[in-house]
Amino acid sequence: MKYVKESAILFGITLVGELMNLLLPLPVPAGVYGLLLLLVLLCSGILKLDQVEATGNFLLEIMPILFIPAAVGLMESVDAMRAILVPMLVVCTVSTIIVMVATGKVTELILAFGEKEVREYDEHHEKNNKNNSSNRSTGSKKNKGGR
């Protein structure tokens, strides 16, 4: 019953994405609207992750199976694509390399930014710890002298 409820939630979000695609005059695919809606619902706390996690994980696990019909369709139309096969392979190869390089650079930037924040956090807390320990030692000396 849990999977039925989770599937109903995910398909409902997908349906709203389809409706948004029909109503909004933007060149955005319905799936993107659905994903953005899901992100907003999860980030706002309206939808909890455990309400859709099991079905989402299942769909991710079977995703390769979902590409079989598209692959069969490509194999059936290989004769029609024979004339553009070389340019298509070049475009696919170049775009894949560009995406890989861009993803790597963005990941490096994010990691560098995260490391910088961690360093600043550590330096700030080290400074506070030194100040607290010097205050304690000064305070304890004053207390010993005052007795």
Side-chain angles (χ1 to χ4, degrees):
M1 191 66 172
K2 176 182 178 180
Y3 290 108
V4 173
K5 180 181 175 189
E6 290 184 14
S7 296
I9 292 170
L10 290 175
F11 290 141
I13 291 170
T14 302
L15 177 64
V16 173
E18 292 287 340
L19 293 173
M20 290 173 71
N21 188 33
L22 291 174
L23 297 175
L24 298 175
L26 300 172
V28 177
V32 173
Y33 283 127
L35 288 172
L36 288 174
L37 181 60
L38 180 62
L39 177 66
V40 167
L41 291 173
L42 288 170
C43 289
S44 66
I46 295 171
L47 183 65
K48 304 288 185 236
L49 181 60
D50 61 352
Q51 292 175 302
V52 293
E53 187 174 21
T55 301
N57 287 337
F58 171 73
L59 290 172
L60 284 174
E61 288 173 6
I62 67 163
M63 188 180 288
I65 295 171
L66 302 177
F67 285 105
I68 291 174
V72 170
L74 283 174
M75 290 187 325
E76 287 179 354
S77 61
V78 75
D79 291 333
M81 293 188 318
R82 208 173 292 279
I84 61 167
L85 191 59
V86 173
M88 188 174 66
L89 288 175
V90 169
V91 167
C92 287
T93 303
V94 170
S95 63
T96 300
I97 291 170
I98 290 171
V99 168
M100 289 172 63
V101 169
T103 303
K105 292 298 179 184
V106 168
T107 303
E108 286 176 356
L109 287 172
I110 290 172
L111 289 175
F113 180 73
E115 289 173 359
K116 178 183 173 192
E117 283 192 358
V118 167
R119 261 195 318 272
E120 289 173 357
Y121 178 83
D122 289 343
E123 289 171 1
H124 175 75
H125 282 286
E126 282 180 21
K127 214 182 264 187
N128 283 345
N129 288 341
K130 286 179 183 176
N131 288 341
N132 288 341
S133 64
S134 66
N135 288 343
R136 286 184 193 137
S137 62
T138 308
S140 63
K141 287 178 183 176
K142 287 180 183 177
N143 287 341
K144 286 180 182 177
R147 286 187 196 179

